[in-house]
Structure formats: structure tokens, C-alpha cells
Amino acid sequence: MLVAMARKTANDDLLAPVTLAVGQEELLLDRAVREVVVAARAADADTDVRDLNPEQLQPGTLAELTSPSLFAERKVVVVRNAQDLSADTVKDVTAYLGAPAEEITLVLLHAGGAKGKKLLDAARKAGAREVACPKMTKPADRLAFVRSEFRATGRSATPEACQALVDAIGSDLRELASAVSQLVADVEGTIDEAVVGRYYTGRAEASSFTVADRAVEGRAAEALEALRWSLATGVAPVMITSALAQGVRAIGKLSSARGGRPADLARELGMPPWKIDRVRQQMRGWTPDGVAVALQAVAEADAGVKGGGDDPEYALEKAVVIIARAARSRGRG
């Protein structure tokens, strides 16, 4: 898949004289390069690609690479970590930006920020095609990335499936992209949460949060089943108590917050908007007393798994049952 999850300038010609890819997300930077190379080789199968790091681009090297050829061949010159170029080489590149050579596409990969800003500003002033490749640190960004990956393949995945995949894989975009590719290749029709579960619930983080989700939803039997499966596959008990604590605290935070749009509540509570929607669904049946009881159960389980008890598994099972009951406290009198 060659679609980068990135903003682009109005000049979206892949064969523009200069492409500037800015950010620190390696997958997106690599895709920005690959897009240009694929377009260049579609125009000329014999395109020569030179992929250079700052040490390989010395003063005079760019002039040599971009000098006219007897064969008028198309070239793509990729410069990685352009923010680390020497001052003399930056002068060469800046001069080149003012009069780029025909049939040559220069791709500058720059981390952004203050280092090497002179070159960054020069490329932008010269009208370089720009692709933003920011590091995706927020869960909501990774969720949007997964959705875009499925859209790029023309396949349909439910919102729950996309969220389950992010929960299972974590923050590595390469792994997320690979997981989408695998699901698309292996599964026909719409990809749902059950499919993602079959493929990826072996991940420790995912299985821990599955236990927590089922518990705060009041689904005791399913939570206990997920707990036993997690422990049997080697998930550390402390990961499960951590997930339980996060789940109950989220219920408490949202239940005590004033009403409002998910985006407003997300800013107020420090949660991504998608989590606000999920917790809203989970908090039905909860009362303030139920939250207090559940938090106490988590604290006791945490002490139990950290050496305060003889049987960590029992401590976790007890906490899961108490939390599930607390989730059903409203309406029981």
C-alpha cells in the first residue's frame, strides 16, 4: 500500500522537482519515498534511484548526481536525515533548490524541528511538494491510520474491529499496517471484531484490556474466561491489574464529568474521543458507590499479585467478580 497517512501540499505531483517529507514516523517517510520512486519508474522503468544518508552527501556530491547525462536518464535522489547535513552541503542543496535539474526528483527527508531549519525553510520557500509524516503518539491518530489502511485496500472493517486492532498491536505503525494487510489477504467480506480477536488477542496488552472491558461491562463469565486465557498464555498479572484500574478509573472520571461533546470531554479528562464513546457505553449500571467498591477491589488485587497474597490468580478472579457486580449496581436497590 502506497498511501501515506499524511497531509500534502497543493502541489501533489509525485514527480515534482523536490519533495519534502517532514516528520519522524519512519513508515510514513519510507512511503513518501516509495510513492515517488514508483511514479518515477512508471514514467521511466530505467529510473536511477540514489538513496543517501548525510555522510554520503558531501559538498559537491549533489552537483555530481544532478549533472546532465548523455542518456538523459530520469533520477530520484533521496536524502535521509537532511537536518543532519553539514553547513557546506546545506549551501549546495539550497543553491540546487533555486534551479532544479530536469528529469530529476530530489526527495528530502527532514525530522522537522529547529535542527536544520534553514534547509527546511529554503525547501518550502522554493515550493517543494511537502508530505507531513508526524510521529503518531495519540491512540486516535493510530485508529485513523488503521481506518485509512483498510480504505486504501477498498475493504470494509467495522469501527470495533479497527479499535480492537489498535488495542492488540499497540503503537508500531509498521505492525499495524502489516496486520491490516494480513487480514485483508486472509479474510473475505467485512472484517469485524471477532476476526481481529481470532488473529491478535494473543497480545498481552490486548488480552489484559479484554479482561478489563468485559469486567466493567458486567460480563463476569466472559471476563473470567478472558482472565484465565490471559494467564494461561503468560500475561503478567500486573498488566491485568493495571488494565482493570484504568477501566474502573475511566468509568469514575466520566461519570463525575459534566456532559458535553466527546472532543470537549476528551480535553477535560485526558482521554481520546474514541475512548469517551466506549466508556459511555460501559458506564451504564455504574453508581459512585460501585466505582468505590471496584477501586478497592483493584487495590487489593494489586497487592495480591505483588506479593501480598499467596494466590495471584485467585486475587484477580475475586477482583473481576467484584467489578462485574459493581457494574450492575444501579437498579439493584
Side-chain angles (χ1 to χ4, degrees), residues 13-332:
D13 177 11
L14 291 169
L15 297 181
V18 181
T19 285
L20 177 65
V22 184
Q24 298 179 43
E25 189 56 69
E26 291 297 327
L27 174 66
L28 301 185
L29 290 167
D30 286 347
R31 285 185 174 182
V33 172
R34 192 168 21 151
E35 282 183 328
V36 172
V37 171
V38 168
R41 287 185 168 155
D44 180 353
D46 295 324
T47 294
D48 181 24
V49 178
R50 303 296 180 92
D51 199 322
L52 309 171
N53 59 43
E55 292 74 29
Q56 294 171 304
L57 195 68
Q58 298 298 321
T61 304
L62 184 61
E64 182 181 334
L65 290 173
T66 58
S67 60
S69 167
L70 289 175
F71 304 102
E73 64 182 350
R74 181 178 290 277
K75 286 184 182 177
V76 175
V77 178
V78 180
V79 180
R80 297 183 182 272
N81 297 310
Q83 73 279 356
D84 295 331
L85 291 172
S86 69
D88 287 339
T89 304
V90 168
K91 290 179 182 178
D92 281 359
V93 176
T94 302
Y96 176 82
L97 293 173
E102 291 186 14
E103 300 298 307
I104 292 176
T105 299
L106 175 65
V107 183
L108 299 173
L109 307 189
H110 194 293
K115 188 176 183 182
K117 191 171 185 299
K118 183 177 179 180
L119 177 58
L120 191 62
D121 291 342
R124 285 170 170 162
K125 186 176 180 180
R129 168 183 175 265
E130 185 169 342
V131 183
C133 306
K135 200 75 175 175
M136 294 191 183
T137 57
K138 297 179 180 178
D141 292 338
R142 295 193 288 273
L143 183 60
F145 172 78
V146 167
R147 288 172 175 163
S148 75
E149 291 290 286
F150 280 116
R151 281 198 301 270
T153 68
R155 293 293 299 279
S156 176
T158 66
E160 295 78 12
C162 294
Q163 185 59 61
L165 198 58
V166 172
D167 289 343
I169 301 298
S171 60
D172 191 310
L173 287 201
R174 290 189 189 278
E175 288 197 33
L176 285 168
S178 177
V180 170
S181 296
Q182 182 179 16
L183 289 169
V184 167
D186 292 355
V187 180
E188 295 183 359
T190 299
I191 295 164
D192 59 20
E193 187 176 11
V195 170
V196 174
R198 287 200 300 272
Y199 274 76
Y200 296 106
T201 52
R203 303 273 182 152
E205 184 181 7
S207 55
S208 297
F209 283 106
T210 297
V211 176
D213 284 341
R214 298 298 86 81
V216 300
E217 290 161 5
R219 295 153 68 176
E222 294 175 46
L224 287 171
E225 181 182 356
L227 170 63
R228 288 160 189 155
W229 189 90
S230 297
L231 293 172
T233 55
V235 177
V238 292
M239 289 191 68
I240 299 173
T241 54
S242 175
L244 289 170
Q246 289 183 51
V248 175
R249 287 180 189 136
I251 297 287
K253 281 184 178 181
L254 191 55
S255 62
S256 62
R258 296 184 300 274
R261 297 178 304 167
D264 297 331
L265 287 170
R267 285 191 293 272
E268 180 183 342
L269 302 178
M271 297 181 193
W274 64 261
K275 191 167 185 179
I276 297 291
D277 291 334
R278 172 180 283 191
V279 176
R280 270 180 169 163
Q281 294 174 356
Q282 293 175 332
M283 64 187 286
R284 298 167 188 160
W286 282 89
T287 64
D289 287 344
V291 171
V293 168
L295 286 173
Q296 180 62 36
V298 172
E300 291 176 1
D302 189 54
V305 303
K306 292 178 178 176
D310 297 328
D311 190 343
E313 183 173 344
Y314 172 73
L316 286 168
E317 287 184 355
K318 181 180 177 182
V320 163
V321 170
I322 292 173
I323 292 168
R325 286 176 179 168
R328 301 295 185 188
S329 55
R330 176 169 284 144
R332 285 212 314 253

